[in-house]
Amino acid sequence: MEKKDFEAWLDNISITFLSLTDLQKNETLDHLISLSGAVQLRHLSNNLEILLKRDFLKLLPLELSFYLLKWLDPQTLLTCCLVSKQWNKVISACTEVWQTACKNLGWQIDDSVQDPLHWKKVYLKAISRMKQLKDHEAFETSSLIGHSARVYALYYKDGLLCTGSDDLSAKLWDVSTVACWEWSSGAKTQHFRGHTGAVFSVDYNDELDILVSGSADFTVKVWALSTGTCLNTLTGHTEWVTKVVLQKCKVKSLMHSPGDYILLSADKYEIKIWPIGREINCKCLKTLSVSEDRSISLQPRLHFDGKYIVCSSALGLYQWDFASYDILRVIKPPDFSNVSLLGFGEIFALLFDNRYLYIMDLRTEKLISRWPLPEYRKSKRGSSFLAGEMSWLNGLNGQNDMGLVFATSMPDHSIHLVLWKEHG
């Protein structure tokens, strides 16, 4: 057939084919396929593959592609990145998808970072760290050896761990390098003398030039940090004061305003709240308890971040709203007893018992990781163990998951450290 005649025939056939129903079109194609030879069938196969596998990400507007990608989970998106360079480029640039994925993992998000590729890298780093936590591989241990008698006091701040011992020495340790400096008698020191019972807890604030201490004499004393002078003695507790916390308020209520300094003191049954600042003489604002008949005792594990008060008991963790003093929730760690609080944040809580260190996801109230602990020295007043860096409890960010997690004194007079393992 001549080319001109063939083109005319093809036009007529096409017009007729378009007028058919779908069923008639299918029957026509079936008939033509039955008449085709190997060359025609190979041609048909090659062209059908191209038509059926059209790259929709390449054809769609970028905004519509981003909208569709939001419906896929991150793991599926990572698999899709392997399809082609074009897919990897589009998927990696979908900032909102990766930011949401990071938030769901408990990761802090800095919205000011707009680099599209940045958030995919952050997600990969986040999922790696969370897998380490789930597999109980996120931490490593170390020991500080230097005291010759029982270590009875631990205090941690800004990467430095201070220890006090029955060997009549105090040592300052850099936990990142395990270097130690001993405070010699020629160093400038300040003595705070006045309690008639053992001192169980101290806290201080440089801005206020104040140190506070809780004691077995049922009192809280407020001291001038620079001079060692006792400024006030706060009374009202009927049990040993095992924990004091000095913190700036972040919420407004009838009793306090944002920016006010607040002192919390806890004994076996009660938590007392005191306003404190330039005016040292103060009266108790409020007394919190979890049972009026004192049937439930509190553990000396108190946390206050300016917005919420959290304290542990044998029944679980109690969380109060600081603006209203209402109990918001009671968190009961599943299948565990005698679990105590070390740190509490917006996303995670750090807990421990005689055998393990635990991380709880507060959004689900489920334990997501644990780390074995040695037979450390037990202390009812809670001075022989402490948490290290705690900013990561508000959400990991790839920078705050380093340094000290937990420290405790050991029967052999050493200090056992649990540290974040470096990113793999």
Side-chain angles (χ1 to χ4, degrees), residues 18-69:
L18 291 173
S19 65
L20 300 176
T21 65
D22 286 337
L23 180 61
Q24 290 171 335
K25 288 179 181 179
N26 291 341
E27 291 180 359
T28 302
L29 291 174
D30 289 339
H31 183 68
L32 290 175
I33 290 173
S34 67
L35 298 176
S36 300
V39 175
Q40 289 75 44
L41 291 174
R42 189 180 303 111
H43 175 78
L44 184 63
S45 175
N46 292 337
N47 282 277
L48 281 175
E49 184 177 4
I50 295 172
L51 290 172
L52 292 175
K53 295 184 178 180
R54 301 185 73 182
D55 191 340
F56 71 91
L57 279 185
K58 193 173 183 179
L59 298 174
L60 290 175
L62 194 59
E63 294 78 7
L64 189 53
S65 296
F66 285 167
Y67 176 77
L68 293 175
L69 292 172

Side-chain angles (χ1 to χ4, degrees), residues 267-269 290-291 294-299 312-315:
D267 62 30
K268 188 176 181 180
Y269 300 109
V290 296
S291 60
R294 297 196 167 195
S295 60
I296 303 174
S297 60
L298 300 174
Q299 298 167 345
S312 58
S313 75
L315 296 183

Side-chain angles (χ1 to χ4, degrees), residues 237-414:
H237 284 284
T238 57
E239 298 284 342
W240 291 357
V241 182
T242 54
K243 188 69 176 179
V244 290
V245 177
L246 185 58
Q247 179 63 269
K248 187 179 288 187
C249 175
K250 296 180 182 178
V251 293
K252 182 177 179 57
S253 78
L254 294 176
M255 296 184 179
H256 40 69
S257 301
D260 292 346
Y261 279 96
I262 301 295
L263 168 63
L264 269 63
S265 57
D267 62 30
K268 188 176 181 180
Y269 300 109
E270 297 177 338
I271 301 169
K272 290 188 178 294
I273 302 169
W274 315 81
I276 196 165
R278 302 299 177 185
E279 297 294 331
I280 302 303
N281 296 317
C282 58
K283 294 183 179 180
C284 180
L285 290 176
K286 185 75 173 178
T287 298
L288 305 178
S289 63
V290 296
S291 60
E292 294 183 0
D293 59 357
R294 297 196 167 195
S295 60
I296 303 174
S297 60
L298 300 174
Q299 298 167 345
R301 313 306 310 163
L302 179 66
H303 177 85
F304 177 49
D305 63 358
K307 296 187 293 184
Y308 304 106
I309 300 170
V310 183
C311 193
S312 58
S313 75
L315 296 183
L317 305 179
Y318 286 81
Q319 182 183 20
W320 286 268
D321 175 44
F322 191 58
S324 64
Y325 300 132
D326 293 333
I327 293 179
L328 296 179
R329 58 177 172 170
V330 180
I331 303 170
K332 298 182 179 180
D335 304 324
F336 291 92
S337 60
N338 298 321
V339 175
S340 297
L341 175 71
L342 276 170
F344 193 93
E346 295 177 2
I347 304 295
F348 303 112
L350 185 63
L351 313 167
F352 77 113
D353 61 15
N354 291 339
R355 299 177 59 199
Y356 293 102
L357 192 67
Y358 302 99
I359 296 177
M360 173 185 282
D361 189 327
L362 292 171
R363 298 167 299 180
T364 61
E365 298 186 7
K366 295 185 181 297
L367 300 176
I368 62 172
S369 184
R370 72 180 186 184
W371 184 261
L373 295 176
E375 287 291 330
Y376 57 86
R377 189 185 296 279
K378 307 301 187 294
S379 171
K380 291 183 178 180
R381 64 178 184 265
S383 61
S384 63
F385 38 77
L386 53 74
E389 305 288 349
M390 290 197 289
S391 63
W392 64 272
L393 297 175
N394 292 322
L396 294 161
N397 62 15
Q399 302 297 324
N400 57 12
D401 53 340
M402 57 181 63
L404 182 66
V405 179
F406 175 78
T408 184
S409 59
M410 300 294 290
D412 64 359
H413 316 318
S414 66

Side-chain angles (χ1 to χ4, degrees), residues 212-233:
V212 292
S213 57
S215 170
D217 62 12
F218 305 163
T219 70
V220 177
K221 286 188 179 292
V222 182
W223 312 82
L225 186 60
S226 57
T227 65
T229 305
C230 181
L231 303 174
N232 198 7
T233 299

